Amino acid sequence: ASAQINTNIVVATFDSEGKIVSATIDVAQQKASFDMEGKKAGEVDLRTKVEKEGDYGMKGVSGIGKEYFEQAKALTDWMTGKTVEEVLAMPTYQRDESHTACPDVEDLKSSVTITVGDYLKALEEAAANAK
């Protein structure tokens, strides 16, 4: 048996006009395996998706040959200089059952295939909590 926990992380800074100055997107995705008696089997890798870099293994299945950390950086680069409202207005499409909110933005089509819905919600929350 196994269990997995995903914690989405969005950190953003804003200028006085509400534009994004910088942003970081990541996911702490920890997976644990258990034996038939319910005891933990093996070690849990505590690195985030960005920290794993090529070890995450997305490059071969992404369709654009890019790892998660590369796609997250491309997305945050695109977000920089925009307001939260502009980012939240990003059109998305459902690619498949697991990817329900992929960017439908010409500037991102060759650099981002990850689903962004949870990141958009977290960005909205980060903006609401900004001081």
Side-chain angles (χ1 to χ4, degrees):
S2 65
Q4 177 174 305
I5 298 172
N6 292 341
T7 304
N8 295 305
I9 302 161
V10 174
V11 178
T13 56
F14 308 92
D15 67 13
S16 61
E17 297 174 358
K19 291 186 178 179
I20 298 166
V21 175
S22 67
T24 301
I25 291 174
D26 203 348
V27 177
Q29 182 180 66
Q30 279 73 46
K31 299 176 185 179
S33 297
F34 302 91
D35 64 20
M36 296 299 286
E37 295 162 0
K39 294 180 183 172
K40 188 176 79 136
E43 294 299 313
V44 176
D45 187 347
L46 297 177
R47 295 177 297 164
T48 66
K49 287 183 177 184
V50 169
E51 291 171 332
K52 290 178 183 176
E53 293 189 343
D55 291 343
Y56 184 66
M58 180 181 273
K59 186 174 187 170
V61 297
S62 73
I64 57 172
K66 295 197 182 288
E67 283 290 346
Y68 176 87
F69 74 96
E70 296 170 302
Q71 294 191 41
K73 172 123 177 43
L75 180 59
T76 56
D77 286 350
W78 176 84
M79 292 165 56
T80 301
K82 294 176 176 53
T83 65
V84 172
E85 292 75 22
E86 290 172 320
V87 173
L88 295 178
M90 170 195 307
T92 61
Y93 70 97
Q94 181 172 341
R95 188 174 77 230
D96 57 40
E97 227 175 85
S98 299
H99 300 87
T100 58
C102 296
D104 195 10
V105 176
E106 200 59 41
D107 291 347
L108 296 176
K109 287 187 178 180
S110 64
S111 59
V112 180
T113 60
I114 57 178
T115 192
V116 298
D118 289 337
Y119 305 132
L120 297 180
K121 289 177 194 170
L123 174 66
E124 187 174 31
E125 188 174 331
N129 291 326
K131 304 274 188 242

